[in-house]
Amino acid sequence: MFVKQIKIPDPEEILEKMPLPASLKSIKAERDALVSDVISGKSDKLMIIVGPCSAHESKPVLDYVERLGRLNEKVKDKLVLVPRIYTNKPRTKGVGYKGMFSQPDPTKSEDILKGIYSIRDLNIKAIEASGLAAADEMLYPANIHYVDDLLSYIAVGARSSENQLHRLVASGIDVPVGIKNPMSGSIMVLLNSIYAAQSGQVFKLNGWQVKTDGNPLAHAILRGAVDSYGNDIPNFHYETVIQVVEGYARSGLENPAIIIDANHSNSSKKFKQQIRVCEEVMQNRLYDKDFKRNVKGFMIESFIEEGNQAEDKVYGKSITDPCLGWCDTERLILDIADKV
């Protein structure tokens, strides 16, 4: 049985009440162009999507993003840094902290309306503080329009990449959409998802029949796979990446691009291993021109303090998956920049 609790306004109403200030629109447009140029191949910079597993509290996230903005000034000739401000969190068992969108205060029960205003406020302040526009995950396709005017990158998770509505909504988004390989690791399913997102579509969304032209900047994120026994299967190694490169070549898809997710099944969620994953991928970029041309960057889970915690007691420490700490993150990003 459904019990109605709070009427949530349409996205248009929320955006009218809390718009992106005119003074920040040019920054957002500039960041969109930088990210798009990496995916399309117009730029040979690498993109690093980096930040907390989940943005559970505004203050430490803004602190982190400000640090990233200062670091960006050191590496902007080589890298495009995109903060992870992930406000929707998929839960394997359907319970637990579901992100700021649902729970703006992780110690209290869900309050989605307050959450929407909280994440808009956080993203606007992040652009203002750092000059960087963020990435978030499209966990619920019907909800993305509450924040998509603030984001320069959107991801579709492994549990969602086979879902038809995620693919259709991705086809109408105006910024690059990274689609993760499904939990099975199937490259064919991944390429089919990208094909659907790059194609024009007609479908029902939020009470409307909508039409899209397709998103030519939809692309692959390799995050590793999980077998039927729950064992992690990495897919960042040279041989697997080249299989994806070859799949792209056969498919006729536009703008072939691969982002390597250094965490999840590629590191078995052992957060320090993200450093090793990135180092191996950078070595392979030196070895093979096709590998280099297709691998456009990394997704890295990182916060101020390394590791994770069960409750929000330590400032700047993840309450979901464990993350690299800031010192290791800064060192890793500088090292990647040196190797581009």
Side-chain angles (χ1 to χ4, degrees), residues 218-289:
H219 60 277
I221 302 175
L222 299 184
R223 52 86 70 204
V226 179
D227 69 16
S228 58
Y229 296 97
N231 300 310
D232 290 310
I233 306 170
N235 61 8
F236 69 92
H237 297 306
Y238 174 81
E239 292 79 7
T240 309
V241 173
I242 289 299
Q243 287 179 354
V244 180
V245 170
E246 292 170 349
Y248 259 127
R250 291 191 299 269
S251 69
L253 290 165
E254 296 184 69
N255 302 311
I258 299 168
I259 300 295
I260 303 295
D261 180 350
N263 206 18
H264 296 99
S265 291
N266 278 331
S267 66
S268 297
K269 293 189 178 181
K270 297 175 181 177
F271 64 92
K272 289 273 193 180
Q273 292 296 314
Q274 294 182 98
I275 299 170
R276 178 184 62 81
V277 171
C278 292
E279 288 178 347
E280 179 179 320
V281 171
M282 292 306 294
Q283 281 296 118
N284 286 332
R285 276 173 52 89
L286 295 174
Y287 170 74
D288 188 295
K289 64 179 183 353

Side-chain angles (χ1 to χ4, degrees), residues 24-285:
L24 301 180
K25 287 184 177 180
S26 61
I27 297 174
K28 167 68 165 56
E30 179 186 342
R31 300 306 299 177
D32 289 355
L34 287 170
V35 172
S36 296
D37 285 352
V38 170
I39 298 302
S40 68
K42 292 179 182 177
S43 169
D44 58 3
K45 295 179 182 179
L46 270 187
M47 180 166 59
I48 312 293
I49 304 155
V50 58
C53 174
S54 58
H56 70 271
E57 187 181 3
S58 292
K59 186 177 179 181
V61 171
L62 285 173
D63 182 347
Y64 180 93
V65 173
E66 286 179 15
R67 297 180 190 205
L68 205 61
R70 292 191 294 271
L71 180 58
N72 180 67
E73 291 302 307
K74 299 180 182 179
V75 299
K76 63 183 180 181
D77 291 338
K78 300 284 190 69
L79 306 178
V80 175
L81 301 186
V82 181
R84 276 177 59 111
I85 301 182
Y86 271 37
T87 59
N88 291 270
K89 290 304 298 178
R91 311 309 302 177
T92 301
K93 296 181 179 179
V95 295
Y97 179 61
K98 297 178 182 178
M100 189 180 286
F101 189 99
S102 298
Q103 288 174 266
D105 184 337
T107 67
K108 297 180 180 179
S109 59
E110 291 87 349
D111 187 340
I112 291 173
L113 182 57
K114 183 178 179 182
I116 292 170
Y117 283 113
S118 295
I119 65 175
R120 285 196 64 81
D121 180 69
L122 173 56
N123 273 280
I124 290 169
K125 286 179 177 175
I127 297 172
E128 187 174 30
S130 68
L132 307 176
D136 200 350
E137 180 174 341
M138 182 171 63
L139 181 57
Y140 306 108
N143 295 344
I144 194 62
H145 296 305
Y146 288 105
V147 292
D148 63 349
D149 63 311
L150 307 176
L151 304 172
S152 284
Y153 188 92
I154 293 171
V156 174
R159 298 171 185 83
S160 304
S161 61
E162 296 182 76
N163 179 270
Q164 187 71 358
L165 187 57
H166 283 81
R167 295 173 170 186
L168 298 176
V169 172
S171 75
I173 291 173
D174 294 329
V175 298
V177 174
I179 302 177
K180 292 192 175 185
N181 61 262
M183 299 295 284
S184 68
S186 171
I187 301 305
M188 182 60 69
V189 169
L190 172 60
L191 293 173
N192 286 341
S193 297
I194 297 169
Y195 184 88
Q198 289 195 0
S199 303
Q201 306 284 356
V202 176
F203 57 100
K204 178 181 176 293
L205 181 67
N206 294 337
W208 290 87
Q209 176 178 304
V210 298
K211 181 181 179 180
T212 70
D213 294 328
N215 183 348
L217 299 176
H219 60 277
I221 302 175
L222 299 184
R223 52 86 70 204
V226 179
D227 69 16
S228 58
Y229 296 97
N231 300 310
D232 290 310
I233 306 170
N235 61 8
F236 69 92
H237 297 306
Y238 174 81
E239 292 79 7
T240 309
V241 173
I242 289 299
Q243 287 179 354
V244 180
V245 170
E246 292 170 349
Y248 259 127
R250 291 191 299 269
S251 69
L253 290 165
E254 296 184 69
N255 302 311
I258 299 168
I259 300 295
I260 303 295
D261 180 350
N263 206 18
H264 296 99
S265 291
N266 278 331
S267 66
S268 297
K269 293 189 178 181
K270 297 175 181 177
F271 64 92
K272 289 273 193 180
Q273 292 296 314
Q274 294 182 98
I275 299 170
R276 178 184 62 81
V277 171
C278 292
E279 288 178 347
E280 179 179 320
V281 171
M282 292 306 294
Q283 281 296 118
N284 286 332
R285 276 173 52 89

